[in-house]
Amino acid sequence: EADIYQTPRYLVIGTGKKITLECSQTMGHDKMYWYQQDPGMELHLIHYSYGVNSTEKGDLSSESTVSRIRTEHFPLTLESARPSHTSQYLCASRDQNTGELFFGEGSRLTVL
Amino acid sequence: KNQVEQSPQSLIILEGKNCTLQCNYTVSPFSNLRWYKQDTGRGPVSLTIMTFSENTKSNGRYTATLDADTKQSSLHITASQLSDSASYICVVSANSGAGSYQLTFGKGTKLSVIP
């Protein structure tokens, strides 16, 4: 079972609010990722990190930001949420030996 | 451009029946191919990994095949159960050098198993 955790699982907020989605893993993986997934659609990479103090934007443009101060922690922040940000956000980390991705349970964000 | 195409987009089968999901890819240079199962509202979970030299691999009632020449993979589910209802995602990894890999995701096949 994967040791990667996301909080909150569900969040409903009003437009303009600042939110942070938390992601933590205890597997010591250097590589971590954030994906955005709309219902019934494919995953889109929005941010990734190859280690502490390393962050890069993914294939899909996103107004969110990320930070990687500690290996185990990779939070995603939206400074001012909008209804267009309503989606599911999936965090993952990657085993550098096998290449396998381990996903968290996801954070479903609804912006009213 | 690396691409992964999955078919069918959705599938409904009766409990106990078998089914096969397809994945075609144009990813280069190919490193490996994984099938993930994603339950509704949950994160994907790895089912199998196929490397270049592997033709078939089983994980319980799931059997994956890989034809590296035609760049096709299939996931066969035997004696389906209601709990198999999920989206099945094909993910292909390309070796982009210096120990770095690029992942290309398919859109998934949504499987519904009905009693």
Side-chain angles (χ1 to χ4, degrees), chain A residues 9 31 35 37 42-43 50 88 90 94 98-101 103-105, chain B residues 34 36 38 41-44 46 89 93 99-101 103 105-107:
Chain A
R9 285 291 315 279
K31 296 181 180 178
Y35 292 89
Q37 185 182 34
E42 68 267 42
L43 282 74
Y50 283 170
Q88 170 152 271
L90 287 161
R94 192 168 187 184
T98 66
E100 181 175 351
L101 275 178
F103 286 88
E105 294 284 20
Chain B
R34 290 183 188 271
Y36 283 83
Q38 184 178 23
R42 310 292 289 271
S46 179
I89 303 170
S93 178
S100 181
Y101 296 86
L103 300 178
F105 286 74
K107 293 184 177 183

Side-chain angles (χ1 to χ4, degrees), chain A residues 25-71:
Chain A
Q25 52 97 4
T26 58
M27 297 174 281
H29 294 165
D30 287 326
K31 296 181 180 178
M32 295 188 73
Y33 308 80
W34 275 103
Y35 292 89
Q36 185 173 342
Q37 185 182 34
D38 292 325
M41 302 298 286
E42 68 267 42
L43 282 74
H44 291 287
L45 180 66
I46 53 175
H47 296 285
Y48 61 97
S49 168
Y50 283 170
V52 172
N53 294 326
S54 151
T55 61
E56 301 286 345
K57 289 189 179 295
D59 306 321
L60 181 68
S61 175
S62 174
E63 294 166 342
S64 58
T65 60
V66 292
S67 63
R68 190 87 184 275
I69 299 173
R70 304 198 314 267
T71 298

